């Protein structure tokens, strides 16, 4: 447990009330959303007055101190309808409407996220934005109007890099950009990047939080991130929720032999190509072991074309951390063949359950894994991933030490304290703005 009064006083001695942090995100589902919720809970436990503003909430969500954006006002609706009408009349093609067309095209053509950085919402007018001492952005691609928000919000802004979107154009990862991009989308993509760079320059008080060292280095190499304050602070993991569970009961539930090799795979959408399930199937089929089992957790249809020598079990989405811990605990290995990640929330969950991890060498995994808790593949190929799994299966991992190592680096206490130090620094350095 975090000692609220003593620790809080170390970082905010000059503040007579709890510091007020507003987190903003499109939603709190998915990996980025769960990372935000865990940070929010850790900060509340630390004694920081943390709140969340989202554009939508999942049904029956019980996350505390969470507010949904106000309904669109009349002027917002006009900003949404007029561009569509003028576009159809071929009178004016507004940047907002062109961005929405690119968003739709990217989703339908490549199943990729694309956001131009323009929105009809004016979130600076939200009461909770006015309430906050510091505004902390997360995954906001579909809700934030970058130009107006950074121009009108005269407060320190922290932006956690839950993907690369704050640093690049409309796509959320460089690897998401397809070859032979149509010219009209290429122009919107370039405009989106310039839009952010200009907004950061005008505001002048923005700090990036990177979840990994590699992402921080990339941020420094970009025009948007160069010369700005960048802190590396990982996602927290709650060891009370993620801990060794009853893996044997899960094996019995699915009729898995106690001696079978079981590989778990978790993704919000198991068929998201970036998450790499197809590479895992190819790699597992050539492991040379008798009927390995892959347990897939997440939404989406079961994969097609599964090799006969591999058994795949799809559980659907699992939100209960104790159920998920039991699935991790039923595993011999946890597989993370994702081609791009800012962190690796599922990796730390598996490690907290004492399960070794095999991963592609994406930015997040390089900070999380070392030889005592898992194996990084040498490259982004099914053959390299197979070799990494074989290497992991030939080793002996200590479950107790694996869990201890994960909690020592990613505990809620450690992550909350790192954020508290950052917030305090920003408030001490803050220059007053004229309202």
């Amino acid at each position: 447990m975090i000692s609220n009064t003593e620790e809080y006083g170390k970082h905010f001695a000059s503040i007579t009330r709890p510091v007020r942090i507003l987190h903003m995100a499109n939603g709190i589902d998915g990996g980025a959303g769960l990372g935000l919720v865990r940070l929010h809970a850790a900060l509340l436990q630390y004694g920081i007055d943390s709140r969340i503003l989202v554009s939508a909430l999942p049904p029956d969500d019980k996350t505390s101190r969470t507010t949904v954006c106000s309904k669109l006002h009349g002027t917002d609706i006009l900003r949404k309808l007029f561009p569509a009408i003028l576009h159809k009349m071929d009178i004016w093609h507004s940047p907002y409407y062109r961005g929405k067309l690119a968003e739709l095209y990217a989703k339908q053509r490549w199943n990729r996220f694309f956001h131009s950085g323009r929105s009809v919402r004016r979130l600076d007018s939200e009461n909770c934005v006015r309430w906050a001492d510091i505004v902390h952005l997360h995954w906001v691609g579909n809700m934030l109007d970058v130009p107006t928000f950074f121009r009108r919000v005269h407060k320190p802004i922290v932006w956690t890099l839950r993907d690369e979107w704050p640093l690049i154009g409309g796509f959320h990862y460089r690897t998401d950009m397809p070859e032979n991009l149509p010219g009209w989308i290429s122009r919107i993509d370039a405009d989106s990047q310039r839009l952010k760079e200009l907004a950061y320059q005008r505001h002048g008080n923005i700090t990036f939080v990177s979840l990994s060292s590699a992402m921080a280095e990339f941020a420094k190499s970009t025009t948007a991130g160069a010369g700005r304050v960048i802190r590396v602070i990982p996602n927290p993991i709650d060891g009370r929720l993620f801990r060794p569970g009853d893996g044997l009961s899960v094996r019995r539930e699915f009729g898995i032999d106690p001696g079978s090799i079981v590989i778990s795979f978790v993704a919000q959408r198991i068929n998201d190509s970036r998450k790499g399930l197809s590479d895992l199937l190819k790699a597992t089929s050539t492991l040379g072991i008798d009927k390995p089992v892959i347990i897939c957790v997440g939404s989406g249809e079961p994969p097609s074309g599964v090799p006969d020598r591999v058994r795949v079990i799809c559980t659907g989405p699992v939100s209960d951390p104790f159920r998920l811990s039991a699935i991790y605990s039923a595993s011999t290995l946890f597989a993370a063949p994702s081609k791009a990640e800012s962190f690796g929330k599922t990796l730390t969950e598996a490690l907290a359950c004492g399960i070794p991890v095999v991963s592609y060498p994406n930015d997040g995994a390089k900070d999380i894994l070392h030889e005592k808790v898992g194996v990084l593949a040498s490259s982004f190929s099914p053959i390299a991933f197979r070799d990494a799994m074989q290497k992991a299966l030939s080793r002996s991992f200590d479950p107790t030490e694996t869990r201890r190592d994960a909690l020592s680096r990613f505990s809620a206490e450690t992550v909350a304290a790192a954020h508290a130090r950052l917030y305090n620094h920003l408030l001490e350095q803050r220059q007053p703005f004229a309202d």
Side-chain angles (χ1 to χ4, degrees), residues 78 194 225 241 387 412:
L78 291 177
R194 286 192 293 269
L241 299 179
D387 292 345

Side-chain angles (χ1 to χ4, degrees), residues 65-137:
R65 304 175 70 80
T66 301
T67 302
V68 178
C69 293
S70 303
K71 294 182 179 179
L72 292 180
H73 301 294
T75 53
D76 300 329
I77 295 173
L78 291 177
R79 278 193 294 268
K80 185 175 183 179
L81 292 180
F82 273 0
I85 294 171
L86 295 175
H87 178 85
K88 289 183 179 180
M89 297 175 65
D90 202 23
I91 295 175
W92 179 55
H93 299 169
S94 78
Y96 165 74
Y97 192 71
R98 287 189 292 114
K100 296 303 290 184
L101 291 176
E103 176 184 338
L104 181 63
Y105 187 90
K107 187 66 176 177
Q108 293 179 342
R109 180 71 181 273
W110 307 297
N111 195 28
R112 295 285 189 270
F113 286 121
F114 184 100
H115 296 107
S116 68
R118 297 183 183 273
S119 171
V120 297
R121 291 189 181 277
R122 297 297 180 259
L123 297 177
D124 57 281
S125 63
E126 294 282 345
N127 289 332
C128 52
V129 174
R130 298 170 180 169
W131 161 89
D133 296 315
I134 294 173
V135 176
H136 192 148
L137 305 179

Side-chain angles (χ1 to χ4, degrees), residues 137-250:
L137 305 179
H138 296 266
W139 202 100
V140 292
N142 202 29
M143 69 184 290
L144 190 72
D145 187 70
V146 171
T148 59
F149 190 81
F150 281 87
R151 185 172 69 248
R152 296 177 180 177
V153 175
H154 298 162
K155 301 179 182 196
I157 294 178
V158 175
W159 199 336
T160 292
L161 301 174
R162 298 202 174 274
D163 55 24
E164 297 174 354
W165 187 76
L167 304 167
I168 58 177
F171 291 97
H172 283 247
Y173 286 97
R174 290 163 290 168
T175 54
D176 283 352
M177 182 182 294
E179 296 181 1
N180 302 318
L181 194 65
W184 68 278
I185 292 187
S186 181
R187 288 188 291 273
I188 296 172
D189 183 70
D191 288 344
S192 174
Q193 183 166 344
R194 286 192 293 269
L195 191 78
K196 296 168 196 170
E197 292 169 0
L198 182 58
Y200 304 160
Q201 182 179 353
R202 285 177 173 172
H203 187 275
N205 196 356
I206 178 171
T207 300
F208 290 118
V209 170
S210 174
L211 300 172
S212 69
S213 301
M215 179 68 88
E217 290 304 311
F218 169 66
K220 294 174 185 177
S221 73
T222 66
T223 304
R228 306 202 178 279
V229 177
I230 301 172
R231 296 285 183 263
V232 178
I233 308 177
N235 274 328
I237 183 72
D238 191 334
R240 299 168 301 176
L241 299 179
F242 290 94
R243 59 192 184 193
D246 191 355
L248 288 178
S249 69
V250 172

Side-chain angles (χ1 to χ4, degrees), residues 299-322:
S299 63
E301 295 296 321
S304 59
V306 177
D308 292 338
R309 63 182 66 89
V310 179
R311 181 187 174 193
V312 174
I313 299 169
C314 293
T315 67
V318 175
S319 58
D320 179 6
F322 297 109

Side-chain angles (χ1 to χ4, degrees), residues 26-44:
N26 190 57
I28 56 175
D29 52 350
L34 288 175
L36 161 58
V37 169
R38 291 175 185 176
L39 172 60
H40 170 64
L43 293 176
L44 287 174

